[in-house]
Amino acid sequence: MPLTHFTPSGEAHMVDVGDKAATRRRALAEGCIRMDSATLALIKQGGHQKGDVLGIARIAGIMAAKRTAELVPLCHPLSLTRVAVDLEILHADSAVHCRATVETHGQTGVEMEALCAVQISLLTIYDMCKAVDRGMEMTDIRLVEKAGGRSGHWVRDPDWAES
């Protein structure tokens, strides 16, 4: 199967979705940021001098999903109907887990918007906490599920990373 963002002569272009049917489309992406336990404690206690780290990261993720087409050159600008960013503290892993769900009713999917929301949410946590922990690591950023459109429903195989 050829890459869709290239013409037959190899030039990059935006895919024409004009003839595709508008359908309900949804994507779910996730990722984690691992950090020192003291940094995680600051976030949990709300003791960070810059404010509510998770609240600001959630808003940043929502904004990122809405602006994905400005950041990724060949993405279509989309009218999103829903963006939800959920952040969960994982004490055992000394991490924050992010899940972003993005929906639209349109002619192309929202996988890039969900992935962008996760990346920017985690990057915002890094930015707000880097003064106390420069060793934070963003990991396991991936598409988990997508639904809608011609290719239908796709769910990540849970054993994929192990094969």
Short mmCIF file of all heavy atoms in Angstrom, two decimals, residues 31-83:
data_model
loop_
_atom_site.label_atom_id
_atom_site.label_comp_id
_atom_site.label_asym_id
_atom_site.label_seq_id
_atom_site.Cartn_x
_atom_site.Cartn_y
_atom_site.Cartn_z
N GLY A 31 -0.25 8.05 26.65
CA GLY A 31 1.18 8.16 26.89
C GLY A 31 1.42 8.44 28.35
O GLY A 31 0.48 8.72 29.12
N CYS A 32 2.69 8.38 28.77
CA CYS A 32 3.06 8.60 30.16
C CYS A 32 4.25 9.54 30.24
O CYS A 32 5.03 9.64 29.30
CB CYS A 32 3.48 7.28 30.83
SG CYS A 32 2.13 6.26 31.37
N ILE A 33 4.37 10.20 31.37
CA ILE A 33 5.60 10.92 31.71
C ILE A 33 6.05 10.40 33.06
O ILE A 33 5.29 10.41 34.03
CB ILE A 33 5.42 12.45 31.68
CG1 ILE A 33 6.76 13.14 31.94
CG2 ILE A 33 4.33 12.92 32.63
CD1 ILE A 33 6.77 14.63 31.59
N ARG A 34 7.27 9.86 33.09
CA ARG A 34 7.84 9.32 34.32
C ARG A 34 8.74 10.38 34.95
O ARG A 34 9.38 11.15 34.24
CB ARG A 34 8.65 8.06 34.01
CG ARG A 34 7.79 6.96 33.42
CD ARG A 34 8.52 5.65 33.30
NE ARG A 34 7.97 4.66 32.40
CZ ARG A 34 6.71 4.29 32.26
NH1 ARG A 34 5.78 4.87 32.94
NH2 ARG A 34 6.36 3.34 31.42
N MET A 35 8.79 10.37 36.27
CA MET A 35 9.52 11.42 36.99
C MET A 35 9.95 10.92 38.35
O MET A 35 9.53 9.85 38.79
CB MET A 35 8.63 12.65 37.13
CG MET A 35 7.38 12.40 37.96
SD MET A 35 6.12 13.68 37.80
CE MET A 35 5.58 13.47 36.12
N ASP A 36 10.76 11.74 39.04
CA ASP A 36 11.13 11.44 40.42
C ASP A 36 9.88 11.44 41.28
O ASP A 36 8.94 12.22 41.04
CB ASP A 36 12.10 12.49 40.96
CG ASP A 36 13.49 12.40 40.35
OD1 ASP A 36 13.86 11.32 39.85
OD2 ASP A 36 14.20 13.42 40.37
N SER A 37 9.88 10.62 42.32
CA SER A 37 8.71 10.55 43.20
C SER A 37 8.45 11.88 43.90
O SER A 37 7.30 12.24 44.16
CB SER A 37 8.87 9.42 44.22
OG SER A 37 10.04 9.62 44.98
N ALA A 38 9.50 12.65 44.18
CA ALA A 38 9.31 13.96 44.81
C ALA A 38 8.58 14.93 43.88
O ALA A 38 7.75 15.74 44.32
CB ALA A 38 10.66 14.55 45.24
N THR A 39 8.87 14.83 42.59
CA THR A 39 8.18 15.67 41.60
C THR A 39 6.71 15.29 41.53
O THR A 39 5.83 16.16 41.52
CB THR A 39 8.84 15.52 40.22
OG1 THR A 39 10.23 15.77 40.33
CG2 THR A 39 8.21 16.47 39.20
N LEU A 40 6.45 13.99 41.51
CA LEU A 40 5.06 13.51 41.48
C LEU A 40 4.31 13.97 42.73
O LEU A 40 3.15 14.37 42.64
CB LEU A 40 5.02 11.99 41.34
CG LEU A 40 3.66 11.39 41.07
CD1 LEU A 40 3.11 11.86 39.72
CD2 LEU A 40 3.74 9.87 41.09
N ALA A 41 4.97 13.95 43.86
CA ALA A 41 4.34 14.40 45.11
C ALA A 41 3.97 15.88 45.03
O ALA A 41 2.89 16.29 45.48
CB ALA A 41 5.26 14.14 46.29
N LEU A 42 4.84 16.70 44.43
CA LEU A 42 4.54 18.13 44.25
C LEU A 42 3.29 18.31 43.40
O LEU A 42 2.42 19.14 43.71
CB LEU A 42 5.70 18.84 43.56
CG LEU A 42 6.84 19.36 44.40
CD1 LEU A 42 7.92 19.96 43.51
CD2 LEU A 42 6.36 20.38 45.41
N ILE A 43 3.19 17.54 42.32
CA ILE A 43 2.04 17.63 41.43
C ILE A 43 0.78 17.22 42.19
O ILE A 43 -0.24 17.91 42.14
CB ILE A 43 2.24 16.75 40.18
CG1 ILE A 43 3.34 17.34 39.29
CG2 ILE A 43 0.94 16.61 39.39
CD1 ILE A 43 3.77 16.43 38.15
N LYS A 44 0.85 16.11 42.90
CA LYS A 44 -0.33 15.59 43.61
C LYS A 44 -0.80 16.54 44.70
O LYS A 44 -2.00 16.77 44.86
CB LYS A 44 -0.02 14.22 44.21
CG LYS A 44 -1.23 13.62 44.89
CD LYS A 44 -0.95 12.29 45.50
CE LYS A 44 -2.23 11.81 46.16
NZ LYS A 44 -2.01 10.74 47.08
N GLN A 45 0.12 17.11 45.44
CA GLN A 45 -0.23 17.99 46.54
C GLN A 45 -0.66 19.38 46.07
O GLN A 45 -1.15 20.17 46.88
CB GLN A 45 0.97 18.15 47.49
CG GLN A 45 1.38 16.87 48.17
CD GLN A 45 2.77 16.96 48.78
OE1 GLN A 45 3.42 18.01 48.75
NE2 GLN A 45 3.24 15.85 49.32
N GLY A 46 -0.47 19.66 44.79
CA GLY A 46 -0.78 21.00 44.30
C GLY A 46 0.21 22.02 44.83
O GLY A 46 -0.08 23.20 44.87
N GLY A 47 1.38 21.54 45.25
CA GLY A 47 2.38 22.42 45.85
C GLY A 47 3.33 23.06 44.86
O GLY A 47 4.29 23.70 45.26
N HIS A 48 3.08 22.90 43.60
CA HIS A 48 3.96 23.48 42.59
C HIS A 48 3.70 24.97 42.50
O HIS A 48 2.55 25.41 42.42
CB HIS A 48 3.72 22.79 41.24
CG HIS A 48 4.81 23.02 40.27
ND1 HIS A 48 5.03 24.22 39.67
CD2 HIS A 48 5.79 22.19 39.81
CE1 HIS A 48 6.07 24.14 38.87
NE2 HIS A 48 6.55 22.90 38.94
N GLN A 49 4.77 25.76 42.52
CA GLN A 49 4.60 27.22 42.52
C GLN A 49 3.96 27.77 41.25
O GLN A 49 3.43 28.87 41.25
CB GLN A 49 5.94 27.91 42.77
CG GLN A 49 6.96 27.74 41.66
CD GLN A 49 8.29 28.39 41.99
OE1 GLN A 49 8.58 28.69 43.14
NE2 GLN A 49 9.10 28.60 40.98
N LYS A 50 3.97 26.99 40.17
CA LYS A 50 3.34 27.46 38.93
C LYS A 50 1.85 27.18 38.88
O LYS A 50 1.18 27.57 37.94
CB LYS A 50 4.02 26.82 37.72
CG LYS A 50 5.42 27.33 37.46
CD LYS A 50 5.97 26.77 36.16
CE LYS A 50 7.35 27.32 35.87
NZ LYS A 50 7.87 26.80 34.59
N GLY A 51 1.32 26.46 39.87
CA GLY A 51 -0.13 26.22 39.91
C GLY A 51 -0.51 24.78 39.68
O GLY A 51 0.29 23.86 39.89
N ASP A 52 -1.73 24.58 39.23
CA ASP A 52 -2.33 23.26 39.03
C ASP A 52 -1.75 22.62 37.77
O ASP A 52 -2.24 22.84 36.66
CB ASP A 52 -3.85 23.42 38.92
CG ASP A 52 -4.58 22.12 38.63
OD1 ASP A 52 -3.95 21.04 38.64
OD2 ASP A 52 -5.79 22.18 38.38
N VAL A 53 -0.73 21.82 37.96
CA VAL A 53 0.00 21.24 36.81
C VAL A 53 -0.93 20.40 35.93
O VAL A 53 -0.95 20.57 34.71
CB VAL A 53 1.19 20.39 37.31
CG1 VAL A 53 1.85 19.65 36.15
CG2 VAL A 53 2.21 21.27 38.03
N LEU A 54 -1.71 19.52 36.53
CA LEU A 54 -2.57 18.65 35.73
C LEU A 54 -3.69 19.42 35.05
O LEU A 54 -4.05 19.13 33.91
CB LEU A 54 -3.11 17.50 36.57
CG LEU A 54 -2.06 16.56 37.17
CD1 LEU A 54 -2.74 15.42 37.91
CD2 LEU A 54 -1.08 16.05 36.13
N GLY A 55 -4.25 20.41 35.72
CA GLY A 55 -5.30 21.23 35.11
C GLY A 55 -4.79 22.00 33.91
O GLY A 55 -5.44 22.06 32.86
N ILE A 56 -3.61 22.56 34.04
CA ILE A 56 -3.02 23.31 32.93
C ILE A 56 -2.65 22.36 31.79
O ILE A 56 -2.86 22.67 30.61
CB ILE A 56 -1.82 24.14 33.42
CG1 ILE A 56 -2.33 25.23 34.38
CG2 ILE A 56 -1.04 24.75 32.26
CD1 ILE A 56 -1.25 25.92 35.17
N ALA A 57 -2.12 21.18 32.13
CA ALA A 57 -1.77 20.19 31.09
C ALA A 57 -3.02 19.73 30.34
O ALA A 57 -2.97 19.53 29.13
CB ALA A 57 -1.05 19.00 31.73
N ARG A 58 -4.13 19.57 31.05
CA ARG A 58 -5.39 19.16 30.40
C ARG A 58 -5.84 20.22 29.39
O ARG A 58 -6.18 19.91 28.24
CB ARG A 58 -6.48 18.95 31.46
CG ARG A 58 -7.80 18.45 30.89
CD ARG A 58 -8.82 18.18 32.00
NE ARG A 58 -8.34 17.12 32.88
CZ ARG A 58 -7.85 17.31 34.12
NH1 ARG A 58 -7.80 18.52 34.64
NH2 ARG A 58 -7.42 16.29 34.83
N ILE A 59 -5.81 21.48 29.79
CA ILE A 59 -6.21 22.57 28.87
C ILE A 59 -5.24 22.64 27.68
O ILE A 59 -5.67 22.82 26.54
CB ILE A 59 -6.25 23.92 29.62
CG1 ILE A 59 -7.35 23.90 30.69
CG2 ILE A 59 -6.45 25.08 28.65
CD1 ILE A 59 -8.74 23.68 30.16
N ALA A 60 -3.95 22.46 27.94
CA ALA A 60 -2.97 22.49 26.84
C ALA A 60 -3.25 21.38 25.84
O ALA A 60 -3.16 21.59 24.62
CB ALA A 60 -1.55 22.34 27.41
N GLY A 61 -3.61 20.19 26.32
CA GLY A 61 -3.93 19.09 25.42
C GLY A 61 -5.15 19.37 24.57
O GLY A 61 -5.17 19.06 23.37
N ILE A 62 -6.16 19.95 25.18
CA ILE A 62 -7.37 20.31 24.43
C ILE A 62 -7.03 21.33 23.36
O ILE A 62 -7.43 21.20 22.19
CB ILE A 62 -8.47 20.82 25.38
CG1 ILE A 62 -8.96 19.67 26.28
CG2 ILE A 62 -9.62 21.46 24.60
CD1 ILE A 62 -9.82 20.13 27.46
N MET A 63 -6.27 22.34 23.73
CA MET A 63 -5.87 23.36 22.75
C MET A 63 -5.04 22.76 21.63
O MET A 63 -5.21 23.12 20.46
CB MET A 63 -5.09 24.47 23.45
CG MET A 63 -5.94 25.33 24.37
SD MET A 63 -4.96 26.52 25.30
CE MET A 63 -4.35 27.56 23.98
N ALA A 64 -4.16 21.83 21.96
CA ALA A 64 -3.30 21.20 20.95
C ALA A 64 -4.13 20.41 19.95
O ALA A 64 -3.87 20.47 18.74
CB ALA A 64 -2.29 20.29 21.63
N ALA A 65 -5.13 19.66 20.43
CA ALA A 65 -5.98 18.91 19.51
C ALA A 65 -6.65 19.85 18.52
O ALA A 65 -6.73 19.55 17.33
CB ALA A 65 -7.04 18.12 20.29
N LYS A 66 -7.11 20.99 19.00
CA LYS A 66 -7.79 21.96 18.13
C LYS A 66 -6.85 22.61 17.13
O LYS A 66 -7.30 23.10 16.10
CB LYS A 66 -8.46 23.03 19.00
CG LYS A 66 -9.58 22.48 19.83
CD LYS A 66 -10.20 23.40 20.87
CE LYS A 66 -9.97 24.85 20.78
NZ LYS A 66 -10.68 25.63 21.79
N ARG A 67 -5.54 22.60 17.40
CA ARG A 67 -4.59 23.29 16.54
C ARG A 67 -3.64 22.35 15.81
O ARG A 67 -2.63 22.79 15.26
CB ARG A 67 -3.81 24.29 17.37
CG ARG A 67 -4.77 25.30 18.02
CD ARG A 67 -4.08 26.42 18.64
NE ARG A 67 -3.65 27.32 17.58
CZ ARG A 67 -3.21 28.53 17.82
NH1 ARG A 67 -3.15 28.98 19.02
NH2 ARG A 67 -2.82 29.29 16.82
N THR A 68 -3.96 21.09 15.76
CA THR A 68 -3.07 20.09 15.15
C THR A 68 -2.71 20.45 13.71
O THR A 68 -1.55 20.32 13.30
CB THR A 68 -3.69 18.69 15.24
OG1 THR A 68 -3.89 18.37 16.62
CG2 THR A 68 -2.81 17.64 14.59
N ALA A 69 -3.66 20.91 12.94
CA ALA A 69 -3.40 21.23 11.53
C ALA A 69 -2.38 22.36 11.38
O ALA A 69 -1.73 22.47 10.34
CB ALA A 69 -4.69 21.59 10.82
N GLU A 70 -2.22 23.19 12.39
CA GLU A 70 -1.21 24.25 12.35
C GLU A 70 0.18 23.71 12.67
O GLU A 70 1.17 24.35 12.34
CB GLU A 70 -1.57 25.35 13.34
CG GLU A 70 -2.85 26.08 12.99
CD GLU A 70 -3.24 27.08 14.08
OE1 GLU A 70 -2.35 27.69 14.68
OE2 GLU A 70 -4.45 27.23 14.31
N LEU A 71 0.24 22.56 13.31
CA LEU A 71 1.52 21.99 13.74
C LEU A 71 2.03 20.89 12.82
O LEU A 71 3.23 20.74 12.64
CB LEU A 71 1.37 21.42 15.16
CG LEU A 71 0.95 22.42 16.23
CD1 LEU A 71 0.59 21.70 17.52
CD2 LEU A 71 2.06 23.43 16.46
N VAL A 72 1.13 20.10 12.25
CA VAL A 72 1.50 18.99 11.39
C VAL A 72 1.14 19.39 9.96
O VAL A 72 -0.04 19.53 9.64
CB VAL A 72 0.79 17.69 11.81
CG1 VAL A 72 1.21 16.52 10.93
CG2 VAL A 72 1.08 17.37 13.28
N PRO A 73 2.13 19.60 9.10
CA PRO A 73 1.91 20.26 7.82
C PRO A 73 0.81 19.70 6.92
O PRO A 73 0.13 20.48 6.26
CB PRO A 73 3.27 20.14 7.12
CG PRO A 73 4.25 19.97 8.22
CD PRO A 73 3.54 19.24 9.31
N LEU A 74 0.60 18.41 6.86
CA LEU A 74 -0.35 17.87 5.90
C LEU A 74 -1.67 17.43 6.53
O LEU A 74 -2.49 16.78 5.88
CB LEU A 74 0.28 16.71 5.11
CG LEU A 74 1.54 17.11 4.32
CD1 LEU A 74 2.15 15.92 3.63
CD2 LEU A 74 1.22 18.22 3.33
N CYS A 75 -1.89 17.80 7.79
CA CYS A 75 -3.18 17.50 8.44
C CYS A 75 -4.25 18.47 7.97
O CYS A 75 -3.98 19.65 7.76
CB CYS A 75 -3.05 17.64 9.96
SG CYS A 75 -2.38 16.21 10.75
N HIS A 76 -5.46 17.95 7.85
CA HIS A 76 -6.60 18.80 7.51
C HIS A 76 -7.09 19.53 8.75
O HIS A 76 -7.16 18.93 9.82
CB HIS A 76 -7.75 17.95 6.96
CG HIS A 76 -7.46 17.33 5.65
ND1 HIS A 76 -6.75 16.16 5.51
CD2 HIS A 76 -7.78 17.73 4.39
CE1 HIS A 76 -6.65 15.86 4.23
NE2 HIS A 76 -7.25 16.78 3.53
N PRO A 77 -7.47 20.79 8.63
CA PRO A 77 -8.11 21.46 9.76
C PRO A 77 -9.50 20.85 9.96
O PRO A 77 -10.25 20.68 9.00
CB PRO A 77 -8.21 22.92 9.34
CG PRO A 77 -7.75 23.00 7.94
CD PRO A 77 -7.25 21.67 7.50
N LEU A 78 -9.80 20.48 11.18
CA LEU A 78 -11.06 19.78 11.46
C LEU A 78 -11.90 20.53 12.47
O LEU A 78 -11.39 21.20 13.35
CB LEU A 78 -10.77 18.37 12.03
CG LEU A 78 -9.95 17.45 11.16
CD1 LEU A 78 -9.67 16.14 11.89
CD2 LEU A 78 -10.65 17.19 9.85
N SER A 79 -13.19 20.35 12.34
CA SER A 79 -14.13 20.86 13.33
C SER A 79 -14.38 19.73 14.33
O SER A 79 -15.07 18.77 14.02
CB SER A 79 -15.44 21.27 12.64
OG SER A 79 -16.37 21.70 13.59
N LEU A 80 -13.77 19.84 15.49
CA LEU A 80 -13.87 18.78 16.48
C LEU A 80 -15.16 18.91 17.28
O LEU A 80 -15.57 20.02 17.61
CB LEU A 80 -12.67 18.81 17.42
CG LEU A 80 -11.31 18.71 16.72
CD1 LEU A 80 -10.18 18.79 17.75
CD2 LEU A 80 -11.21 17.47 15.89
N THR A 81 -15.79 17.79 17.57
CA THR A 81 -17.02 17.81 18.36
C THR A 81 -16.76 17.47 19.82
O THR A 81 -17.59 17.75 20.67
CB THR A 81 -18.05 16.82 17.78
OG1 THR A 81 -17.48 15.51 17.74
CG2 THR A 81 -18.47 17.25 16.37
N ARG A 82 -15.59 16.85 20.11
CA ARG A 82 -15.27 16.50 21.49
C ARG A 82 -13.78 16.30 21.63
O ARG A 82 -13.15 15.67 20.78
CB ARG A 82 -15.98 15.22 21.89
CG ARG A 82 -15.63 14.72 23.28
CD ARG A 82 -16.45 13.49 23.67
NE ARG A 82 -16.08 13.05 24.99
CZ ARG A 82 -15.55 11.86 25.26
NH1 ARG A 82 -15.36 10.97 24.30
NH2 ARG A 82 -15.22 11.54 26.50
N VAL A 83 -13.22 16.84 22.70
CA VAL A 83 -11.84 16.55 23.10
C VAL A 83 -11.86 16.34 24.61
O VAL A 83 -12.30 17.22 25.35
CB VAL A 83 -10.87 17.69 22.76
CG1 VAL A 83 -9.45 17.34 23.22
CG2 VAL A 83 -10.88 18.02 21.27
#
